[in-house]
Amino acid sequence: MADAQSRIRNFCVIAHVDHGKTTLSDRLIELTGTVALRQMREQLLDSMELEREHGVTIKARAVRMAWTARDGEIHELNLIDTPGHVDFNYEVSRSLAACEGALLLVDASQGIEAQTLANAYLAIEQGLEVIPVINKIDLPSIDLDVVREDLRTTLGFKDEEILLASGKTGQGVAELLHAIVERVPPPKGDPSAPLRALIFDSHYDAYKGVVAHVRVVDGLLSADDRILPMATQKPSEMLELGVFTPEPRPVARLAAGEVGYAATGLKAVADCRVGDTLTLESRPAESPLPGYRPAKPMVFAGFYPQRAEDYPALRDALEKLRLNDASLIYEAETSQALGFGFRCGFLGLFHLEIIQQRLEREYDMDLIATSPSVEYRVITQKGDEVAVDNPAMLPDPGTIEEIREPWMKTTLITPTNYVGPIMDLAQNKRGTLLEMTYVDPTRAMLKYDMPLSEVIVDFYDQLKSRSQGYASLDYEFGEYRAADLVRLDILVAGTLIDALSVIVHRDKAQHIGRLLVHKLRGLIPKQMFDVRIQAAIGGKIIASENVSAKRKDVIAKCYGGDITRKKKLLEKQKEGKKRMKMVGSVEIPQEAFLAVLRIKDEP
């Protein structure tokens, strides 16, 4: 058994988004003959339509490959794919915990970027053997010496450790596989100890229940064992045990060091959590494996069905999505304007966008999404601390001692000629510069402290446009800081629309209020009566606009005659409009709720 374990290598590929990770994974699968050439396709591990469309990996995937090393021995290589986007950092940390080694991919044309650094530090922190790889060497006009120098000075790699490869042409991929066998240490688990298997991912299958993706650390898992997740203590009979090649293939057992899946038959993903440890009911382990930090939502938004009768369908859709995405959290909430819906927590704006698109495409939902907000900590005059992730839930201003908002440690890497515009952008977003260093002669690294509420809205888009797409961003949570924040309310025809409320800095409140009512004026359709749109802080109106009434020409048929005839008709119309104003309610289109998002695009 120990000999078999010495021929196992568990590794993952980490990189900045769009540095060729998925393409390289395709070449590794192809070269090892894991998938027959006729079944091979681009982005093999990206099975979701959204992943293929956006060109990013969203779900971590695992695949087992066989490779004959230089000594003629056949080794079992387990590749655990990781996402590159900053929002899916939790997926990366889970993949790293299941591995002993990592390929650190750097694009030869772009060099080290913010996410490359963040992922490299994560891997080093977990004690993984990191193999630096310069990818895309087939591109014309690249300077490999500059990228090598980057890796030497920024991350301290030696020149002989750095490998060159091209995921597109397959050049250097065989050397890469040999390096994995030679440099990545084999797993160290004890095969005779009680079973401990780390759940690094899961997905839901209608027939097999929750399918846990596991890395067996100690012991042996057989297909007929009864399993027990240690955190939830919900034992179950296993329906299937297998490995990914990359299609699921049943096996009789998984030994220490191996990676595969266990179809638990459990119907609730909460019973089999990611980061938990699987053990045997008959011989449980004493202590679980050191788990992950649970995914912490950073951005919150409300999802409401456009038709009230779709509420149960939305609840079911969120429940099913939660089975595949452990980081999504949601709870029911009610809005005076939108009726019943859910408050959902996400890891970032991109995560929110992906979930919304999945709900609309995979579950056919028509949604109204409210403006995203972050979680504020409100200290009341009694000394209590209240977490507020919905602006409508902010306590009465008279009872508030102070409001604290989350600040992020933000790392930006940009070509030196864009430093000016990016510093200007960061200052507008209330950022404070901590340090500025040079990664190489042409690129600077800026470290900022910045409020999360400023980062989530349009900071990334603005960063890309000001740097012509060259700057990259990474951020992590820093701390909560007190700030002068107020709730900006929107009233339409005298009715407070709670779903349009936002929490903003007092200095920007008037400016944002004016922009918002101006934008809403163009979005809210005309009624048979005048509609007043107002922005207010507490009881004070700070901006106001009118949507004028639809006009019907009641005197069109009135030819000639005395002026009093026309006046009589106009008075009659006026009376009718007065009555309508009393009973009229205004329908607000979905675009109005998105206006809060787009408002901040304008200077």
Side-chain angles (χ1 to χ4, degrees):
M1 186 74 77
D3 184 42
Q5 200 171 314
S6 68
R7 290 201 298 274
I8 297 174
R9 300 288 182 273
N10 297 321
F11 72 100
C12 59
V13 186
I14 50 177
H16 187 80
V17 67
D18 212 22
H19 275 204
K21 185 162 33 63
T22 308
T23 312
L24 186 73
S25 303
D26 286 351
R27 290 300 80 75
L28 294 172
I29 291 168
E30 203 173 272
L31 195 63
T32 52
T34 307
V35 173
L37 272 176
R38 61 194 164 81
Q39 293 173 324
M40 204 55 206
R41 63 186 173 115
E42 292 286 307
Q43 295 170 263
L44 187 75
L45 293 181
D46 287 351
S47 52
M48 260 160 59
E49 185 189 332
L50 272 175
E51 291 181 310
R52 305 174 74 78
E53 208 172 277
H54 285 274
V56 296
T57 302
I58 295 164
K59 292 293 291 169
R61 288 284 304 274
V63 58
R64 177 188 281 200
M65 304 177 287
W67 178 247
T68 309
R70 288 192 174 109
D71 57 7
E73 289 271 352
I74 295 177
H75 286 71
E76 176 192 308
L77 307 184
N78 290 308
L79 158 64
I80 295 170
D81 192 21
T82 65
H85 195 280
V86 58
D87 277 9
F88 297 103
N89 219 8
Y90 75 104
E91 292 267 5
V92 179
S93 72
R94 297 192 310 203
S95 300
L96 293 173
C99 299
E100 280 80 34
L103 296 181
L104 177 68
L105 232 56
V106 178
D107 186 323
S109 62
Q110 294 176 343
I112 289 178
E113 304 222 30
Q115 204 57 36
T116 321
L117 281 178
N119 287 339
Y121 291 141
L122 264 179
I124 293 162
E125 227 175 81
Q126 301 250 18
L128 270 63
E129 176 65 41
V130 179
I131 301 174
V133 181
I134 300 175
N135 191 25
K136 304 193 184 181
I137 57 166
D138 58 300
L139 291 175
S141 66
I142 50 169
D143 192 341
L144 289 177
D145 292 336
V146 170
V147 186
R148 279 177 188 276
E149 184 58 32
D150 268 11
L151 284 164
R152 277 199 299 267
T153 54
T154 316
L155 291 165
F157 290 112
K158 297 186 182 77
D159 218 19
E160 59 273 14
E161 293 178 317
I162 301 168
L163 298 173
L164 305 178
S166 165
K168 194 170 181 184
T169 64
Q171 183 185 343
V173 175
E175 285 71 32
L176 208 53
L177 287 159
H178 286 310
I180 291 163
V181 171
E182 288 155 19
R183 294 197 213 168
V184 175
K188 292 190 176 71
D190 180 356
S192 56
L195 173 75
R196 290 200 304 171
L198 179 68
I199 304 172
F200 65 85
D201 201 1
S202 67
H203 72 268
Y204 186 74
D205 183 287
Y207 302 105
K208 299 172 189 165
V210 178
V211 178
H213 299 206
V214 295
R215 150 76 203 273
V216 181
V217 177
D218 295 323
L220 184 73
L221 180 59
S222 299
D224 51 2
D225 285 333
R226 268 182 74 79
I227 49 170
L228 178 73
M230 292 183 79
T232 56
Q233 294 289 313
K234 292 274 174 80
S236 75
E237 200 77 57
M238 242 188 322
L239 301 183
E240 188 176 292
L241 186 67
V243 294
F244 294 107
T245 63
E247 294 307 314
R249 177 169 63 81
V251 294
R253 51 191 233 163
L254 286 176
E258 291 192 294
V259 174
Y261 67 87
T264 62
L266 295 166
K267 289 294 176 201
V269 80
D271 295 340
C272 184
R273 292 196 193 117
V274 169
D276 195 0
T277 303
L278 269 191
T279 188
L280 298 181
E281 191 184 22
S282 56
R283 189 187 171 204
E286 284 177 20
S287 60
L289 294 159
Y292 308 97
R293 291 165 292 200
K296 188 177 185 315
M298 285 296 182
V299 178
F300 296 84
F303 280 170
Y304 294 86
Q306 284 193 2
R307 293 180 299 277
E309 61 269 24
D310 286 348
Y311 175 75
L314 176 60
R315 185 183 54 221
D316 293 347
L318 280 167
E319 213 166 278
K320 284 174 185 161
L321 262 188
R322 177 81 202 272
L323 294 173
N324 284 327
D325 188 344
S327 60
L328 169 69
I329 65 156
Y330 63 90
E331 56 181 35
E333 73 167 1
T334 318
S335 154
Q336 295 163 347
L338 300 173
F340 292 107
F342 293 93
R343 191 89 190 150
C344 305
F346 309 93
L347 300 160
L349 215 55
F350 183 64
H351 187 210
L352 184 155
E353 191 187 316
I354 291 293
I355 294 291
Q356 189 174 348
Q357 287 187 15
R358 287 187 71 184
L359 284 169
E360 287 170 352
R361 285 188 193 184
E362 295 172 27
Y363 301 98
D364 230 5
M365 299 303 309
D366 288 327
L367 293 178
I368 292 175
T370 65
S371 157
S373 84
V374 300
E375 187 175 86
Y376 296 93
R377 299 282 164 85
V378 178
I379 310 296
T380 63
Q381 287 177 342
K382 289 181 181 172
D384 300 334
E385 187 177 301
V386 186
V388 174
D389 58 41
N390 183 350
M393 297 299 179
L394 198 68
D396 183 332
T399 65
I400 295 174
E401 186 67 40
E402 67 173 18
I403 303 176
R404 295 175 183 165
E405 62 176 340
W407 279 63
M408 309 305 277
K409 294 184 183 307
T410 312
T411 307
L412 308 167
I413 293 183
T414 172
T416 45
N417 35 337
Y418 302 118
V419 167
I422 284 172
M423 287 177 94
D424 178 51
L425 169 67
Q427 266 164 336
N428 288 341
K429 298 287 186 186
R430 296 193 282 136
T432 47
L433 182 65
L434 301 177
E435 65 169 302
M436 177 174 165
T437 50
Y438 286 89
V439 183
D440 59 41
T442 60
R443 288 182 313 145
M445 179 159 71
L446 308 168
K447 291 199 173 177
Y448 274 94
D449 270 356
M450 209 178 288
L452 177 60
S453 57
E454 301 282 359
V455 175
I456 61 166
V457 179
D458 65 332
F459 182 72
Y460 188 69
D461 295 346
Q462 293 243 20
L463 178 74
K464 288 294 181 190
S465 62
R466 291 197 188 199
S467 67
Q468 297 182 358
Y470 285 111
S472 62
L473 162 76
D474 180 60
Y475 55 85
E476 61 176 88
F477 176 69
E479 60 181 350
Y480 273 90
R481 291 189 196 172
D484 188 8
L485 301 166
V486 290
R487 186 176 81 197
L488 182 68
D489 289 324
I490 299 296
L491 291 88
V492 176
T495 307
L496 174 73
I497 309 296
D498 53 358
L500 286 174
S501 298
V502 282
I503 294 176
V504 292
H505 200 272
R506 195 182 293 274
D507 296 349
K508 293 185 171 187
Q510 189 125 12
H511 172 69
I512 289 172
R514 279 191 191 138
L515 279 174
L516 198 46
V517 293
H518 179 68
K519 197 151 225 180
L520 288 173
R521 182 184 163 204
L523 293 169
I524 289 176
K526 286 189 172 192
Q527 311 292 319
M528 297 303 285
F529 51 89
D530 283 357
V531 176
R532 175 156 288 187
I533 304 166
Q534 296 163 309
I537 296 173
K540 185 183 171 194
I541 304 293
I542 58 166
S544 177
E545 296 239 0
N546 254 14
V547 178
S548 55
K550 277 182 186 171
R551 302 267 327 237
K552 183 183 176 188
D553 195 352
V554 288
I555 55 174
K557 296 189 181 76
C558 190
Y559 299 109
D562 188 20
I563 187 75
T564 52
R565 284 182 64 202
K566 293 182 181 177
K567 278 191 170 169
K568 198 170 163 189
L569 286 169
L570 289 167
E571 285 299 323
K572 198 172 165 190
Q573 184 187 35
K574 208 187 219 173
E575 282 303 313
K577 286 202 172 180
K578 240 184 212 163
R579 279 202 306 278
M580 286 185 73
K581 195 170 246 175
M582 286 161 59
V583 297
S585 72
V586 183
E587 199 166 287
I588 298 171
Q590 159 73 350
E591 288 74 43
F593 297 97
L594 297 177
V596 187
L597 254 180
R598 303 202 185 103
I599 196 82
K600 313 214 176 157
D601 294 355
E602 299 169 33

